[in-house]
Amino acid sequence: MTDRNHSDIRSNAVITAIGSYVPERILTNADLEELVDTSDEWIVQRTGIQERHIASDHQFTSHLCFAAVQDMIERYNKDVNDIDYIIVATSTPDAVFPSVASQVQSHFGIENCGSVDLQAACAGFTAAIQLANGLLVSGAYRKVLVIGAETLSKVTDYSDRTTCILFGDGAGAFLMEASDSGSGNVLHMYSKTDGARGHQLYRSSLASAIGDHVIQPNGLIVQNGREVYRWAVSHVAEGVKQLMTRSSLSAADIDWFIPHSANMRIIEALCERTGFSLNQTLSSIKLFGNTSAASIPLAIDGAVKAGTIKQDQLMLLYGFGGGLTQAGIIIRWSL
């Protein structure tokens, strides 16, 4: 019987440009000391976060997407008019519909373009890359724009000291194109969902329960931090190891490990359990906080701008979060 989650895949998808954006306003730990019973020392010790960027009252996820894509266009001199498909990974769309992706299409005046929002919480960006790879390898499309973007500050309960210290806003974009050579950047992938644990991390909408679990219907992020931590350091760590095993790679073979920047304690625990060192781990947690679907592209683009990532290096990207969902990919950097 064939393993339906086996990581050996076909890919002709090449990452040809990257861009990012964070809002100008900064929320520091000192600012949070004025809102809740907390301290800079307590926050840094438990999360590794020093500050996060916060969207203005009139700035929404679509605006962050526009800015990230514009950054990509200007840095790589890219034409987006012939993009075939747009995927926006977000849990904080401006509206349920129209999608953020359709607003990106409208803003840049892209014709003959499909669009969809993908909601996989903090696993959204890696899941979107998996789907983009499938669209490109199918031959139906040649150019796909993948964006991870969030305005989590708009759905954060700033009276809850356990969650309000975590979240920030930002956006990152990858342009993925079909390679004429037939070989792509995406080498291996893995995904898994633990829906029975979904009530441990949620943002409510229409229903007042998730399965048999009554939830708070306030539209804000609710998290059982202890249970999510336990799930991450055990089940997510096992997922990372499964991805490496199925790709016949070890931590020593990977140049850069880029997990979702949930908090530094989780990142450290994942490294300890999977064999990665912190020196080979990229994160956006310190200056941006937990930006959910945007955290991985923000970490990568920060390293790209710093010249840290080199051509042909192997990178393991691993998103995990609400669902409870996890999605990982191994790519070879060629940008």
Side-chain angles (χ1 to χ4, degrees):
M1 182 177 179
T2 302
D3 184 348
R4 60 185 173 84
N5 205 13
H6 198 279
S7 65
D8 289 336
I9 62 169
R10 293 169 54 211
S11 177
N12 64 341
V14 177
I15 300 162
T16 60
I18 182 173
S20 64
Y21 173 78
V22 291
E24 292 183 6
R25 180 189 167 195
I26 294 175
L27 181 68
T28 66
N29 292 343
D31 295 328
L32 287 168
E33 290 175 358
E34 302 297 319
L35 298 176
V36 292
D37 181 17
T38 192
S39 69
D40 174 70
E41 181 183 6
W42 190 89
I43 295 171
V44 172
Q45 183 181 44
R46 284 161 177 77
T47 70
I49 301 169
Q50 293 184 358
E51 57 188 41
R52 27 1 245 125
H53 289 248
I54 304 297
S56 69
D57 291 344
H58 304 291
Q59 196 174 37
F60 296 91
T61 298
S62 64
H63 302 117
L64 274 58
C65 291
F66 302 159
V69 174
Q70 188 62 42
D71 176 60
M72 181 193 78
I73 291 170
E74 293 175 359
R75 286 165 56 194
Y76 292 91
N77 193 29
K78 283 292 182 179
D79 181 7
V80 298
N81 291 322
D82 58 347
I83 285 174
D84 299 307
Y85 217 96
I86 302 169
I87 305 173
V88 174
T90 186
S91 298
T92 52
D94 303 22
V96 176
F97 54 85
S99 67
V100 176
S102 69
Q103 294 180 69
V104 173
Q105 175 274 326
S106 174
H107 179 81
F108 289 99
I110 305 169
E111 297 183 0
N112 303 316
C113 174
S115 64
V116 66
D117 283 0
L118 183 153
Q119 204 291 86
C122 306
F125 189 75
T126 43
I129 291 177
Q130 291 180 354
L131 294 181
N133 180 77
L135 292 176
L136 293 168
V137 81
S138 74
Y141 304 102
R142 297 280 302 172
K143 201 169 183 178
V144 179
L145 178 63
V146 176
I147 306 171
E150 304 285 7
T151 47
L152 295 173
S153 63
K154 298 183 185 297
V155 295
T156 294
D157 181 358
Y158 283 99
S159 67
D160 179 4
R161 67 190 294 267
T162 64
T163 60
C164 72
I165 62 173
L166 296 173
F167 301 114
D169 304 332
F174 276 13
L175 185 61
M176 300 180 66
E177 301 187 55
S179 168
D180 292 329
S181 70
S183 60
N185 292 152
V186 183
L187 306 180
H188 309 281
M189 61 176 64
Y190 177 86
S191 58
K192 185 177 181 179
T193 302
D194 294 295
R197 293 184 172 91
H199 62 284
Q200 304 291 2
L201 173 58
Y202 65 86
R203 177 191 168 205
S204 63
S205 180
L206 300 179
S208 58
I210 298 173
D212 297 330
H213 302 275
V214 176
I215 62 174
Q216 299 179 35
N218 58 11
L220 303 178
I221 298 170
V222 178
Q223 174 176 261
N224 184 336
R226 180 172 297 180
E227 289 303 315
V228 171
Y229 177 85
R230 289 175 178 170
W231 171 76
V233 299
S234 59
H235 293 265
V236 173
E238 180 59 31
V240 173
K241 289 189 283 189
Q242 284 286 333
L243 176 55
M244 289 192 291
T245 297
R246 296 177 183 193
S247 59
S248 300
L249 295 170
S250 69
D253 298 316
I254 303 295
D255 294 292
W256 296 109
F257 176 44
I258 309 105
H260 160 54
S261 293
N263 68 56
M264 203 61 209
R265 275 190 170 181
I266 289 179
I267 292 172
E268 290 170 350
L270 287 177
C271 287
E272 180 181 344
R273 286 162 174 77
T274 57
F276 290 103
S277 71
L278 288 175
N279 288 334
Q280 69 184 126
T281 302
L282 300 177
S283 166
S284 55
I285 195 72
K286 181 178 179 180
L287 299 180
F288 303 128
N290 181 336
T291 55
S292 191
S295 77
I296 288 176
L298 285 176
I300 293 174
D301 203 22
V304 167
K305 290 175 179 177
T308 303
I309 298 175
K310 308 299 182 183
Q311 190 167 356
D312 291 327
Q313 288 186 326
L314 285 179
M315 300 161 59
L316 194 159
L317 286 55
Y318 210 91
F320 55 92
L324 296 174
T325 301
Q326 47 185 310
I329 57 172
I330 295 175
I331 63 174
R332 186 176 298 280
W333 195 252
S334 64
L335 185 57

Coordinates of all heavy atoms in Angstrom, one line a residue, residues 103-190:
Q103 N -8.7 40.8 -3.4 CA -8.4 42.2 -3.2 C -7.0 42.5 -3.7 O -6.7 43.6 -4.2 CB -8.6 42.7 -1.8 CG -10.0 42.6 -1.3 CD -10.2 43.0 0.2 OE1 -10.0 44.2 0.5 NE2 -10.5 42.1 1.0
V104 N -6.1 41.5 -3.5 CA -4.7 41.7 -4.1 C -4.8 41.7 -5.6 O -4.2 42.5 -6.3 CB -3.8 40.5 -3.6 CG1 -2.5 40.5 -4.4 CG2 -3.6 40.6 -2.1
Q105 N -5.6 40.8 -6.2 CA -5.8 40.8 -7.6 C -6.3 42.2 -8.1 O -5.8 42.7 -9.1 CB -6.8 39.7 -8.0 CG -7.2 39.7 -9.5 CD -8.3 40.6 -9.8 OE1 -9.3 40.8 -9.0 NE2 -8.3 41.2 -11.0
S106 N -7.3 42.7 -7.4 CA -7.9 44.0 -7.8 C -6.9 45.1 -7.7 O -6.7 46.0 -8.6 CB -9.1 44.3 -7.0 OG -9.6 45.6 -7.2
H107 N -6.1 45.1 -6.6 CA -5.2 46.2 -6.3 C -4.1 46.3 -7.4 O -3.8 47.4 -7.8 CB -4.5 46.0 -5.0 CG -3.5 47.1 -4.6 ND1 -3.9 48.3 -4.1 CD2 -2.1 47.1 -4.7 CE1 -2.8 49.0 -3.9 NE2 -1.7 48.3 -4.2
F108 N -3.6 45.2 -7.9 CA -2.6 45.2 -8.9 C -3.1 45.1 -10.3 O -2.3 45.0 -11.2 CB -1.5 44.1 -8.6 CG -0.7 44.4 -7.3 CD1 -1.0 43.8 -6.1 CD2 0.4 45.3 -7.4 CE1 -0.3 44.1 -5.0 CE2 1.1 45.5 -6.3 CZ 0.8 44.9 -5.0
G109 N -4.4 45.0 -10.4 CA -5.0 44.9 -11.8 C -4.6 43.7 -12.6 O -4.4 43.8 -13.8
I110 N -4.5 42.6 -11.9 CA -4.1 41.3 -12.6 C -5.3 40.7 -13.3 O -6.3 40.3 -12.6 CB -3.4 40.4 -11.6 CG1 -2.3 41.0 -10.8 CG2 -2.9 39.1 -12.3 CD1 -1.8 40.3 -9.6
E111 N -5.2 40.5 -14.6 CA -6.3 39.9 -15.3 C -6.1 38.4 -15.4 O -5.0 37.9 -15.4 CB -6.4 40.5 -16.7 CG -6.7 42.0 -16.7 CD -6.9 42.6 -18.1 OE1 -6.8 41.8 -19.0 OE2 -7.1 43.8 -18.2
N112 N -7.2 37.7 -15.6 CA -7.2 36.2 -15.9 C -6.5 35.5 -14.8 O -5.6 34.6 -15.0 CB -6.6 35.9 -17.2 CG -7.3 36.6 -18.4 OD1 -8.5 36.6 -18.4 ND2 -6.6 37.2 -19.3
C113 N -6.9 35.8 -13.5 CA -6.1 35.3 -12.4 C -7.1 34.7 -11.4 O -8.1 35.3 -11.0 CB -5.4 36.4 -11.7 SG -4.5 36.0 -10.2
G114 N -6.8 33.4 -11.0 CA -7.6 32.8 -9.9 C -7.1 33.3 -8.5 O -6.0 33.8 -8.4
S115 N -8.0 33.2 -7.5 CA -7.6 33.7 -6.2 C -8.3 32.9 -5.1 O -9.5 32.5 -5.3 CB -7.9 35.2 -6.1 OG -9.3 35.4 -6.1
V116 N -7.7 32.7 -4.0 CA -8.3 32.0 -2.9 C -7.6 32.3 -1.6 O -6.3 32.5 -1.6 CB -8.3 30.5 -3.1 CG1 -6.8 29.9 -3.1 CG2 -9.1 29.7 -2.1
D117 N -8.3 32.5 -0.5 CA -7.7 32.6 0.8 C -7.6 31.2 1.4 O -8.6 30.3 1.3 CB -8.6 33.4 1.7 CG -8.4 34.9 1.5 OD1 -7.6 35.3 0.6 OD2 -9.1 35.7 2.2
L118 N -6.5 30.9 2.1 CA -6.3 29.6 2.7 C -6.3 29.8 4.2 O -5.5 30.7 4.7 CB -5.0 29.0 2.2 CG -4.6 27.6 2.7 CD1 -3.8 26.9 1.7 CD2 -3.9 27.6 4.0
Q119 N -7.0 29.1 5.0 CA -7.1 29.2 6.4 C -6.6 28.0 7.1 O -7.3 27.0 7.3 CB -8.5 29.5 6.9 CG -8.6 30.3 8.2 CD -8.2 29.5 9.4 OE1 -7.0 29.4 9.7 NE2 -9.1 28.8 10.1
A120 N -5.3 28.0 7.5 CA -4.7 26.9 8.2 C -3.9 27.5 9.4 O -2.9 26.9 9.8 CB -3.8 26.1 7.3
A121 N -4.3 28.7 9.8 CA -3.7 29.3 11.0 C -2.1 29.4 10.7 O -1.7 29.8 9.7 CB -4.0 28.6 12.3
C122 N -1.4 29.0 11.7 CA 0.1 29.2 11.7 C 0.8 28.2 10.7 O 2.0 28.4 10.5 CB 0.7 29.1 13.1 SG -0.1 30.2 14.3
A123 N 0.0 27.3 10.2 CA 0.6 26.4 9.2 C 0.2 26.9 7.8 O 0.5 26.2 6.8 CB 0.0 24.9 9.4
G124 N -0.4 28.0 7.7 CA -1.0 28.5 6.5 C 0.0 28.7 5.4 O -0.2 28.3 4.2
F125 N 1.2 29.3 5.7 CA 2.1 29.6 4.6 C 2.7 28.4 4.0 O 2.8 28.3 2.8 CB 3.2 30.6 5.1 CG 4.1 31.1 4.1 CD1 3.7 32.1 3.2 CD2 5.4 30.6 3.9 CE1 4.5 32.6 2.2 CE2 6.2 31.1 2.8 CZ 5.7 32.1 2.0
T126 N 3.2 27.4 4.8 CA 3.7 26.2 4.3 C 2.7 25.4 3.6 O 3.0 24.8 2.5 CB 4.4 25.4 5.4 OG1 3.5 25.4 6.6 CG2 5.8 25.9 5.8
A127 N 1.4 25.4 4.1 CA 0.4 24.7 3.4 C 0.1 25.4 2.0 O -0.2 24.7 1.0 CB -0.9 24.7 4.2
A128 N 0.2 26.7 2.0 CA 0.0 27.4 0.7 C 1.1 27.1 -0.3 O 0.8 26.9 -1.5 CB -0.1 28.9 1.0
I129 N 2.3 26.9 0.1 CA 3.4 26.5 -0.8 C 3.1 25.1 -1.3 O 3.4 24.8 -2.5 CB 4.7 26.6 -0.1 CG1 5.1 28.1 0.2 CG2 5.8 26.0 -0.9 CD1 6.4 28.2 1.0
Q130 N 2.7 24.2 -0.5 CA 2.3 22.9 -0.9 C 1.3 22.9 -2.0 O 1.4 22.3 -3.1 CB 1.8 22.0 0.3 CG 2.9 21.7 1.3 CD 2.3 20.8 2.4 OE1 1.1 20.6 2.5 NE2 3.2 20.4 3.3
L131 N 0.2 23.7 -1.8 CA -0.8 23.8 -2.8 C -0.3 24.5 -4.1 O -0.7 24.1 -5.2 CB -2.0 24.6 -2.2 CG -2.7 23.9 -1.1 CD1 -3.9 24.8 -0.6 CD2 -3.2 22.5 -1.5
A132 N 0.5 25.6 -3.9 CA 1.0 26.2 -5.1 C 1.9 25.3 -5.9 O 1.8 25.3 -7.2 CB 1.9 27.4 -4.7
N133 N 2.7 24.5 -5.3 CA 3.5 23.5 -6.0 C 2.6 22.6 -6.8 O 2.9 22.2 -8.0 CB 4.3 22.7 -5.0 CG 5.2 21.6 -5.7 OD1 6.2 21.9 -6.2 ND2 4.7 20.3 -5.6
G134 N 1.5 22.1 -6.2 CA 0.5 21.3 -7.0 C -0.1 21.9 -8.2 O -0.2 21.3 -9.2
L135 N -0.4 23.2 -8.0 CA -1.0 24.0 -9.2 C 0.0 24.1 -10.3 O -0.3 24.0 -11.5 CB -1.4 25.4 -8.7 CG -2.6 25.5 -7.8 CD1 -2.8 26.9 -7.4 CD2 -3.9 24.9 -8.4
L136 N 1.3 24.3 -9.9 CA 2.3 24.5 -11.0 C 2.7 23.1 -11.6 O 2.9 23.1 -12.9 CB 3.6 25.1 -10.4 CG 3.4 26.6 -9.9 CD1 4.6 27.0 -9.1 CD2 3.2 27.5 -11.1
V137 N 2.8 22.1 -10.8 CA 3.2 20.8 -11.4 C 2.1 20.2 -12.2 O 2.4 19.4 -13.1 CB 3.7 19.8 -10.3 CG1 2.5 19.2 -9.6 CG2 4.6 18.8 -10.8
S138 N 0.9 20.6 -12.0 CA -0.2 20.1 -12.8 C -0.1 20.6 -14.3 O -0.7 20.0 -15.2 CB -1.6 20.6 -12.2 OG -1.8 22.0 -12.5
G139 N 0.6 21.7 -14.5 CA 0.7 22.3 -15.8 C -0.3 23.3 -16.2 O -0.3 23.9 -17.2
A140 N -1.3 23.4 -15.3 CA -2.4 24.3 -15.5 C -2.0 25.8 -15.4 O -2.6 26.7 -15.9 CB -3.6 24.0 -14.6
Y141 N -1.0 26.0 -14.5 CA -0.6 27.4 -14.2 C 0.9 27.5 -14.3 O 1.6 26.5 -14.1 CB -1.1 27.8 -12.8 CG -2.6 27.7 -12.7 CD1 -3.1 26.6 -12.0 CD2 -3.4 28.6 -13.2 CE1 -4.5 26.5 -11.8 CE2 -4.8 28.5 -13.1 CZ -5.3 27.5 -12.4 OH -6.7 27.4 -12.3
R142 N 1.4 28.7 -14.5 CA 2.8 28.9 -14.7 C 3.4 29.9 -13.6 O 4.6 29.9 -13.3 CB 3.1 29.6 -16.0 CG 2.8 28.7 -17.2 CD 3.9 27.7 -17.5 NE 5.2 28.3 -17.7 CZ 6.3 27.6 -17.8 NH1 6.3 26.2 -17.7 NH2 7.4 28.2 -18.1
K143 N 2.5 30.6 -12.9 CA 3.0 31.7 -12.0 C 2.0 31.8 -10.9 O 0.9 32.2 -11.1 CB 3.2 33.0 -12.8 CG 4.1 34.0 -12.2 CD 4.4 35.1 -13.2 CE 5.4 36.1 -12.7 NZ 5.7 37.2 -13.7
V144 N 2.4 31.5 -9.7 CA 1.6 31.6 -8.5 C 2.2 32.5 -7.4 O 3.3 32.4 -7.1 CB 1.3 30.2 -7.9 CG1 0.4 30.3 -6.7 CG2 0.7 29.3 -9.0
L145 N 1.3 33.4 -6.9 CA 1.8 34.3 -5.8 C 1.2 33.7 -4.5 O 0.0 33.5 -4.4 CB 1.2 35.7 -6.1 CG 1.5 36.8 -5.0 CD1 3.0 37.1 -4.9 CD2 0.7 38.1 -5.3
V146 N 2.2 33.5 -3.6 CA 1.8 33.0 -2.3 C 2.1 34.0 -1.2 O 3.2 34.5 -1.1 CB 2.6 31.7 -2.0 CG1 2.3 31.2 -0.5 CG2 2.3 30.6 -3.0
I147 N 1.1 34.3 -0.4 CA 1.3 35.4 0.6 C 0.8 34.8 2.0 O -0.2 34.2 2.1 CB 0.4 36.6 0.3 CG1 0.8 37.2 -1.1 CG2 0.7 37.7 1.4 CD1 -0.2 38.3 -1.6
G148 N 1.6 35.1 3.0 CA 1.2 34.8 4.4 C 1.0 36.2 5.1 O 2.0 36.9 5.1
A149 N -0.2 36.5 5.6 CA -0.4 37.8 6.2 C -1.4 37.8 7.3 O -2.4 37.0 7.2 CB -0.9 38.8 5.1
E150 N -1.1 38.6 8.3 CA -2.0 38.6 9.5 C -2.1 40.0 10.1 O -1.1 40.7 10.1 CB -1.6 37.7 10.6 CG -1.4 36.2 10.2 CD -2.7 35.4 10.0 OE1 -3.8 36.1 10.1 OE2 -2.6 34.2 9.8
T151 N -3.3 40.3 10.6 CA -3.4 41.5 11.5 C -4.0 40.9 12.8 O -5.2 41.2 13.2 CB -4.3 42.6 10.9 OG1 -5.5 42.0 10.4 CG2 -3.6 43.3 9.8
L152 N -3.2 40.1 13.5 CA -3.7 39.5 14.7 C -4.0 40.4 15.9 O -4.8 40.1 16.7 CB -2.6 38.5 15.2 CG -2.3 37.3 14.3 CD1 -1.1 36.5 14.8 CD2 -3.5 36.4 14.1
S153 N -3.4 41.6 15.8 CA -3.7 42.6 16.9 C -5.2 42.9 16.9 O -5.7 43.3 18.0 CB -2.9 43.9 16.6 OG -3.3 44.5 15.4
K154 N -5.9 42.8 15.8 CA -7.3 43.1 15.7 C -8.2 42.0 16.3 O -9.4 42.3 16.6 CB -7.7 43.4 14.3 CG -7.0 44.6 13.7 CD -7.5 44.9 12.3 CE -6.6 46.1 11.7 NZ -6.7 47.3 12.4
V155 N -7.7 40.9 16.6 CA -8.4 39.8 17.2 C -7.8 39.3 18.5 O -8.0 38.2 18.9 CB -8.7 38.6 16.2 CG1 -9.5 39.1 15.0 CG2 -7.3 38.1 15.7
T156 N -6.9 40.1 19.1 CA -6.3 39.7 20.3 C -7.0 40.4 21.5 O -7.4 41.5 21.5 CB -4.8 40.2 20.3 OG1 -4.1 39.5 19.3 CG2 -4.1 40.0 21.7
D157 N -7.2 39.6 22.6 CA -7.8 40.0 23.8 C -6.7 40.7 24.7 O -5.9 40.0 25.3 CB -8.4 38.8 24.5 CG -9.1 39.3 25.8 OD1 -9.1 40.5 26.2 OD2 -9.7 38.4 26.5
Y158 N -6.7 42.0 24.7 CA -5.6 42.7 25.4 C -5.9 42.8 26.9 O -5.1 43.5 27.6 CB -5.4 44.1 24.8 CG -4.6 44.0 23.5 CD1 -5.2 44.0 22.3 CD2 -3.2 43.8 23.5 CE1 -4.5 43.9 21.1 CE2 -2.5 43.7 22.4 CZ -3.1 43.7 21.2 OH -2.4 43.6 20.0
S159 N -6.9 42.0 27.4 CA -7.0 41.9 28.8 C -6.5 40.5 29.3 O -6.5 40.2 30.5 CB -8.5 42.0 29.2 OG -9.3 40.9 28.7
D160 N -6.1 39.7 28.4 CA -5.6 38.3 28.7 C -4.1 38.3 28.6 O -3.5 38.4 27.5 CB -6.2 37.3 27.7 CG -5.7 35.9 27.9 OD1 -4.9 35.7 28.9 OD2 -6.0 35.0 27.1
R161 N -3.5 38.3 29.8 CA -2.0 38.5 29.9 C -1.3 37.3 29.2 O -0.1 37.4 28.9 CB -1.6 38.7 31.3 CG -1.8 37.5 32.2 CD -1.6 37.8 33.7 NE -0.2 38.1 34.0 CZ 0.7 37.2 34.4 NH1 0.4 36.0 34.5 NH2 1.9 37.6 34.6
T162 N -1.9 36.2 29.1 CA -1.2 35.0 28.5 C -1.2 35.0 27.0 O -0.3 34.3 26.5 CB -1.9 33.7 29.0 OG1 -3.3 33.6 28.5 CG2 -2.0 33.6 30.5
T163 N -2.1 35.7 26.4 CA -2.0 35.7 24.9 C -1.7 37.1 24.3 O -1.1 37.1 23.2 CB -3.4 35.3 24.3 OG1 -4.4 36.2 24.8 CG2 -3.8 33.9 24.7
C164 N -2.0 38.2 25.0 CA -1.8 39.5 24.3 C -0.3 39.8 24.2 O 0.1 40.7 23.4 CB -2.5 40.6 25.1 SG -1.7 41.0 26.7
I165 N 0.6 39.1 24.9 CA 2.0 39.4 24.8 C 2.6 38.8 23.6 O 3.7 39.1 23.2 CB 2.7 38.9 26.0 CG1 2.6 37.3 26.1 CG2 2.3 39.6 27.3 CD1 3.4 36.7 27.2
L166 N 1.8 37.9 22.9 CA 2.4 37.1 21.8 C 2.3 37.7 20.4 O 3.2 37.6 19.7 CB 1.7 35.7 21.8 CG 1.9 34.8 23.0 CD1 1.0 33.6 22.9 CD2 3.3 34.4 23.2
F167 N 1.2 38.3 20.1 CA 0.8 38.4 18.7 C 1.2 39.8 18.1 O 1.1 40.8 18.7 CB -0.7 38.1 18.5 CG -1.1 36.8 19.0 CD1 -1.9 36.6 20.0 CD2 -0.6 35.7 18.3 CE1 -2.3 35.3 20.5 CE2 -0.9 34.4 18.7 CZ -1.8 34.2 19.8
G168 N 1.6 39.7 16.8 CA 1.9 40.9 16.1 C 1.4 40.8 14.6 O 0.8 39.7 14.3
D169 N 1.6 41.8 13.8 CA 1.1 41.9 12.5 C 2.2 41.9 11.4 O 3.3 42.5 11.7 CB 0.2 43.1 12.3 CG -0.9 43.2 13.3 OD1 -1.4 42.1 13.8 OD2 -1.4 44.3 13.7
G170 N 2.0 41.4 10.3 CA 3.0 41.4 9.2 C 2.5 40.6 8.0 O 1.5 39.9 8.0
A171 N 3.4 40.6 7.0 CA 3.1 39.9 5.7 C 4.3 39.6 5.0 O 5.3 40.3 5.0 CB 2.2 40.7 4.8
G172 N 4.3 38.4 4.3 CA 5.4 38.0 3.5 C 4.9 37.3 2.2 O 3.9 36.7 2.3
A173 N 5.6 37.5 1.1 CA 5.2 37.0 -0.2 C 6.3 36.2 -0.9 O 7.4 36.7 -0.9 CB 4.7 38.1 -1.0
F174 N 5.9 35.1 -1.5 CA 6.8 34.4 -2.4 C 6.2 34.4 -3.8 O 5.0 34.2 -3.9 CB 6.9 32.9 -2.0 CG 8.0 32.6 -0.9 CD1 8.5 33.6 -0.2 CD2 8.3 31.3 -0.7 CE1 9.5 33.3 0.8 CE2 9.3 31.0 0.3 CZ 9.8 32.0 1.0
L175 N 7.0 34.6 -4.8 CA 6.5 34.4 -6.2 C 7.1 33.0 -6.6 O 8.3 32.8 -6.6 CB 7.0 35.5 -7.1 CG 6.5 35.4 -8.6 CD1 5.0 35.5 -8.6 CD2 7.1 36.5 -9.4
M176 N 6.2 32.1 -7.0 CA 6.6 30.8 -7.5 C 6.2 30.6 -8.9 O 5.1 30.8 -9.3 CB 5.9 29.7 -6.6 CG 6.3 29.9 -5.1 SD 5.5 28.6 -4.0 CE 6.3 27.1 -4.6
E177 N 7.2 30.2 -9.7 CA 7.0 30.0 -11.1 C 7.4 28.6 -11.6 O 8.3 27.9 -11.0 CB 7.9 31.0 -11.9 CG 7.5 32.5 -11.5 CD 8.2 33.5 -12.4 OE1 8.1 33.4 -13.7 OE2 8.9 34.4 -11.9
A178 N 6.8 28.1 -12.7 CA 7.1 26.8 -13.2 C 8.5 26.9 -13.9 O 8.7 27.8 -14.7 CB 6.0 26.4 -14.2
S179 N 9.3 25.9 -13.6 CA 10.7 25.9 -14.2 C 10.6 25.1 -15.5 O 10.0 24.0 -15.6 CB 11.6 25.2 -13.3 OG 12.8 24.8 -14.0
D180 N 11.2 25.6 -16.6 CA 11.2 25.0 -17.9 C 12.1 23.7 -17.8 O 12.0 22.8 -18.7 CB 11.8 25.9 -18.9 CG 10.8 27.1 -19.2 OD1 9.6 26.8 -19.1 OD2 11.2 28.2 -19.6
S181 N 13.0 23.6 -16.8 CA 13.9 22.5 -16.7 C 13.2 21.3 -16.1 O 13.7 20.1 -16.2 CB 15.1 22.8 -15.8 OG 14.7 23.0 -14.5
G182 N 12.0 21.6 -15.5 CA 11.2 20.5 -15.0 C 11.6 20.1 -13.5 O 10.9 19.3 -12.9
S183 N 12.6 20.7 -13.0 CA 13.0 20.5 -11.6 C 12.7 21.8 -10.8 O 13.0 22.9 -11.2 CB 14.4 20.1 -11.4 OG 15.3 21.1 -11.9
G184 N 12.2 21.6 -9.5 CA 11.9 22.8 -8.7 C 12.6 22.8 -7.4 O 13.4 22.0 -7.0
N185 N 12.2 23.9 -6.6 CA 12.8 24.1 -5.3 C 12.2 23.2 -4.2 O 12.8 22.9 -3.2 CB 12.6 25.5 -4.9 CG 13.4 26.5 -5.7 OD1 13.0 27.7 -5.8 ND2 14.5 26.1 -6.2
V186 N 10.9 22.8 -4.4 CA 10.2 22.0 -3.3 C 10.6 20.5 -3.5 O 10.3 19.9 -4.4 CB 8.7 22.2 -3.4 CG1 8.0 21.5 -2.3 CG2 8.3 23.7 -3.4
L187 N 11.3 20.0 -2.5 CA 11.9 18.7 -2.6 C 11.0 17.6 -1.8 O 10.8 16.5 -2.3 CB 13.3 18.7 -2.0 CG 14.3 19.7 -2.6 CD1 15.6 19.5 -1.9 CD2 14.4 19.5 -4.1
H188 N 10.5 18.0 -0.6 CA 9.8 17.1 0.2 C 8.7 17.8 1.0 O 8.9 19.0 1.2 CB 10.7 16.3 1.2 CG 11.9 15.7 0.5 ND1 11.8 14.5 -0.2 CD2 13.2 16.1 0.5 CE1 13.0 14.2 -0.6 NE2 13.9 15.2 -0.3
M189 N 7.6 17.1 1.4 CA 6.6 17.8 2.2 C 5.9 16.8 3.1 O 6.0 15.6 2.9 CB 5.6 18.5 1.3 CG 4.8 17.6 0.3 SD 3.5 18.5 -0.6 CE 4.5 19.6 -1.6
Y190 N 5.3 17.3 4.1 CA 4.6 16.5 5.1 C 3.5 17.3 5.7 O 3.6 18.6 5.9 CB 5.6 16.1 6.2 CG 4.9 15.3 7.3 CD1 4.8 13.9 7.3 CD2 4.5 16.0 8.5 CE1 4.2 13.2 8.3 CE2 3.9 15.2 9.5 CZ 3.8 13.9 9.4 OH 3.2 13.1 10.4

